[in-house]
Amino acid sequence: MSKRELTVVVLAAGGGTRMKSKTMKVLHQVGGRSMVGHVLSAVRAVEPDRVVAVVGHQRDQVGPHIQEWVPDAVLAVQESQDGTGHAVRVAMEALEREGTLGEGTVIVAYGDTPLLKGESLRAFAAEHEAAQCAVSILSGVVDQPAGYGRVVRDDEGEVLAIVEEKDATPDIRDIREINSGILAFDAAFLAEALPQLDNDNAKGEYYLTDTIKIARDAGLSVGAYPIDDVVQTAGANDRVQLAELGRELNSRIVTRWMQEGVTVMDPATTWIEADVVLERDVTILPGTQLLGATVVAEDAVIGPDTTLKDCEVGTGARVVRTHGELAVVGAGATVGPFSYLRPGTVLGAAGKIGAFVETKNAEIGTGAKVPHLSYVGDAEIGEGSNIGAGTIFANYDGAAKHRTTVGRHARTGSNNTFVAPVAIGDGAATGAGTVVRQDVPPGALAVSSGPQRNLEGWTLRKRPGTAQAEAAERAGTSAESQVTGSGTDGVGQRLGGEGES
Ligand code: UD1
Ligand code: CA
C-alpha cells in the first residue's frame, strides 16, 4: 500500500478561561515546553505532508509560537469559537486558499494534550487507513467519563455516533468508552461532511463529532480504536490538571532515563524536562531539577537539591546543591555546595567552584580553583590557578563592566579585590587582603594591605574589667603602651590563607 497523504489539524483557538491567566492555555508550560509544543513535537514525529493550526485567542502569540515548532504550518484564524466542527472547517478553508487541500488522511488533534506521543498518532493513522474508514475515533475506556463525548456502538460493536455529555441520555452517560478528541478522516469524506454540520445541540456549537453520524447515514464505515494509555490524550483545562499532567509527564521522562541507565535516587523529587539529555551512569540525587537543554555526561553526579537550566556537565563531574544556568562544567570538575553559576560560566576539566561562590561570564581553566566565598564576574582564570577565599572580581565601576584576567598557576591570597580591568600574570601571587588595581607581572607578588601595627596593652587600658581583659591578663600582658609590628612594606607578613584545598 502506497503511503497516503497526511494532513494534521491542531485545534488551538480556545481561550482556556479556566486557566484564569493572561497566557493562552496552549502556551502554558509543562516539562519545559508549551502544551502545544509537546503536541507539535508528536505531530512532527509522524512526518505529515502538512500541518494546519487553528488559532483564535491571542493568535499574535500562539501563531508565531506554533511556527517555531513547525515553520511551514498553515495558520487558520477562527474568529469566534463556534465548535470543533467549525474550527476544522476554518482549517480546511485555509488549506483551500493555499491550494494545498490534499487527499488522503486528515487527523484532528488538540493543542492541549502534552503527553501525546508521535507513535500513538502514527499507529492510529495506520489503523484508520488499513480499515479504509470514512472516519475513525481514537477512543479510550475510562472510569470517569464525565465531560467527554461517549462512543455509542450497536450490539455488533459497530460505531453509531459520538454523543456529547450535555446531549446524552442517562443510558448513554453510563458508557465508559469516550472520544479522546483525536479523529482521523478520509479527506474527501471530511470535505463533504463539514458543510452538513449544524449547531442544533445543547451547546449551540458545530460539533466535529457529528461527522460520525453523517458517515453512518451515508452507509460509510466508522472505526473506534481505544488507546491503552488514555493519559496521552488528556487535556489540561485548569492549573490543577496542568500540574497533574506535569507530574505524570515528569514521571514518564524520569522512568525513561532510568531505563536508559541513569540512577535516580528519588524519582518523586527529581524533575527532568523533555529536552534534557543524560548519558549512562549519571546519578541524580534527590531534589534535583534538570531543565531546558541541559546535557549531563557519563558518571557525573548531580544533586542533591540542584537546579541546572541549559547547562552542560562533563564526564564524572560532581555538582552539589547548586543553581546554574547556561553554564559549562568540565569533566571531573566539582561544583558546590551552594554555588551559583550564572550564564557564561565555563569551568575547565578538574576545576573547582566551591561553597558560596557566584560566577558569571567567567572562564575558569583546567584544574583552576575558586574554592570559597567569592564572586567571579567577567573573568578568565588560567589553568591550575587558585583564587583565595573571599575574593571579589570587582567587574562593575558603577557605569560599565570590565574584565579581569588571571594567568596560569597563579596563587592569589584570601580576601582580595581585583578591580577590573586588571591582569594578574602567569605564576604571580598576591598577599592576603590585596586590592589589585594595577596589573601584576608574571611571577610577581602583589601586596597592598598596609604594614601591621600592634598597640600593646590596648585591651587592659581600653576594656578593663571585661572577659577580654581578663584573658589578656591571664596571658601575662600588662597595660604598658608600646607599638610593635612588621616592616613598613607588609611583605614580611605571612601571605596567609590562600584557601587552597
Ligand atoms: C470535545 C469533543 C468530545 C471529546 C472531548 C475530548 C466535540 C464536539 N466534542 O469536547 O467528544 O470527548 O473534546 O477532550 O468535538 N476548539 C477550537 N475552536 C472551537 C472549539 C474548540 O479551537 O471553536 C479547540 C479548543 O481550544 C480545545 C479543543 O478544540 O483545544 C476541544 O474543544 P472543547 O470545547 O474543549 O471540546 P469539549 O467540549 O471538551
Ligand atoms: Ca475540552
Side-chain angles (χ1 to χ4, degrees):
M1 194 174 75
S2 69
K3 188 182 172 291
R4 285 164 57 95
E5 262 186 59
L6 181 62
T7 302
V8 178
V9 178
V10 177
L11 303 189
T17 44
R18 279 177 285 169
M19 283 289 178
K20 298 192 179 161
S21 174
K22 59 183 169 303
T23 303
M24 223 295 250
K25 175 163 84 169
V26 298
L27 296 185
H28 275 261
Q29 295 262 324
V30 62
R33 294 176 182 164
S34 65
M35 288 205 273
V36 71
H38 285 284
V39 172
L40 292 168
S41 152
V43 166
R44 246 172 24 184
V46 304
E47 298 176 357
D49 295 287
R50 62 190 70 78
V51 175
V52 197
V54 180
V55 295
H57 282 274
Q58 290 187 27
R59 58 178 179 267
D60 295 347
Q61 281 89 54
V62 180
H65 179 75
I66 285 171
Q67 286 178 327
E68 274 172 35
W69 283 92
V70 182
D72 53 1
V74 173
L75 300 179
V77 176
Q78 189 190 25
E79 296 288 352
S80 68
Q81 278 64 63
D82 296 332
T84 50
H86 179 254
V88 173
R89 200 164 75 207
V90 166
M92 291 300 123
E93 284 163 4
L95 283 186
E96 215 167 337
R97 275 197 302 278
E98 300 260 324
T100 54
L101 191 51
E103 304 170 324
T105 299
V106 177
I107 289 183
V108 177
Y110 297 165
D112 68 346
T113 56
L115 270 66
L116 184 64
K117 285 187 174 173
E119 60 207 58
S120 306
L121 276 183
R122 191 183 294 118
F124 173 55
E127 281 172 312
H128 164 78
E129 289 175 4
Q132 297 190 307
C133 287
V135 46
S136 302
I137 306 160
L138 185 60
S139 67
V141 178
V142 298
D143 290 334
Q144 310 213 325
Y148 288 100
R150 309 296 204 282
V151 177
V152 182
R153 296 181 187 253
D154 68 12
D155 294 343
E156 272 81 56
E158 293 291 321
V159 177
L160 299 178
I162 293 175
V163 178
E164 293 304 305
E165 166 100 5
K166 284 194 172 159
D167 302 294
T169 60
D171 274 1
I172 287 178
R173 284 186 192 197
D174 285 342
I175 296 173
R176 288 171 48 241
E177 185 179 7
I178 55 101
N179 168 28
S180 73
I182 296 174
L183 301 176
F185 294 91
D186 173 65
F189 164 72
L190 182 63
E192 276 176 33
L194 287 174
Q196 299 177 45
L197 296 177
D198 62 39
N199 60 356
D200 185 13
N201 52 50
K203 279 172 99 179
E205 287 184 355
Y206 294 89
Y207 291 165
L208 185 61
T209 45
D210 284 349
T211 53
I212 281 103
K213 196 164 173 304
I214 292 170
R216 293 299 311 203
D217 289 348
L220 300 169
S221 53
V222 174
Y225 304 94
I227 182 172
D228 289 336
D229 185 19
V230 203
V231 196
Q232 279 189 43
T233 65
N237 294 311
D238 58 29
R239 302 201 200 215
V240 176
Q241 290 171 346
L242 185 70
E244 280 166 7
L245 290 185
R247 187 152 24 89
E248 179 60 29
L249 178 63
N250 184 62
S251 139
R252 290 174 180 218
I253 293 172
V254 170
T255 300
R256 178 166 60 87
W257 285 119
M258 291 192 288
Q259 285 160 347
E260 295 286 330
V262 171
T263 294
V264 178
M265 189 186 273
D266 184 15
T269 62
T270 298
W271 291 81
I272 304 176
E273 288 186 345
D275 293 323
V276 169
V277 177
L278 308 174
E279 287 184 4
R280 280 186 179 199
D281 290 317
V282 163
T283 298
I284 302 175
L285 300 177
T288 293
Q289 296 110 42
L290 301 178
L291 312 177
T294 293
V295 176
V296 183
E298 207 168 64
D299 295 327
V301 181
I302 314 288
D305 301 324
T306 291
T307 302
L308 299 180
K309 180 163 194 236
D310 300 325
C311 289
E312 198 182 312
V313 179
T315 306
R318 183 84 181 79
V319 182
V320 187
R321 287 186 208 280
T322 289
H323 188 98
E325 186 168 348
L326 282 166
V328 177
V329 175
T334 64
V335 177
F338 309 108
S339 305
Y340 180 21
L341 313 182
R342 292 168 52 199
T345 296
V346 180
L347 176 61
K352 179 183 175 89
I353 292 174
F356 305 104
V357 173
E358 173 180 344
T359 59
K360 183 213 73 170
N361 197 11
E363 220 170 292
I364 300 168
T366 303
K369 296 176 179 177
V370 188
H372 326 276
L373 300 160
S374 294
Y375 171 62
V376 184
D378 299 313
E380 189 181 325
I381 299 172
E383 70 171 57
S385 287
N386 188 86
I387 304 301
T391 294
I392 303 300
F393 286 62
N395 58 330
Y396 185 51
D397 61 13
K401 303 277 173 70
H402 303 281
R403 276 184 81 75
T404 297
T405 315
V406 178
R408 299 161 174 229
H409 299 283
R411 292 281 178 278
T412 67
S414 292
N415 197 31
N416 276 201
T417 303
F418 302 151
V419 183
V422 77
I424 294 166
D426 290 349
T430 66
T434 300
V435 178
V436 178
R437 299 173 187 277
Q438 295 155 28
D439 290 355
V440 180
L445 167 68
V447 185
S448 74
S449 52
Q452 180 176 332
R453 293 188 309 151
N454 299 329
L455 308 183
E456 304 231 357
W458 181 90
T459 299
L460 289 187
R461 291 196 306 279
K462 299 291 187 183
R463 300 276 189 269
T466 62
Q468 183 186 6
E470 281 167 27
E473 203 158 23
R474 274 201 299 277
T477 65
S478 79
E480 202 176 312
S481 165
Q482 189 193 343
V483 178
T484 62
S486 55
T488 50
D489 59 2
V491 174
Q493 299 172 48
R494 282 181 58 230
L495 291 179
E498 284 183 352
E500 200 166 9
S501 64

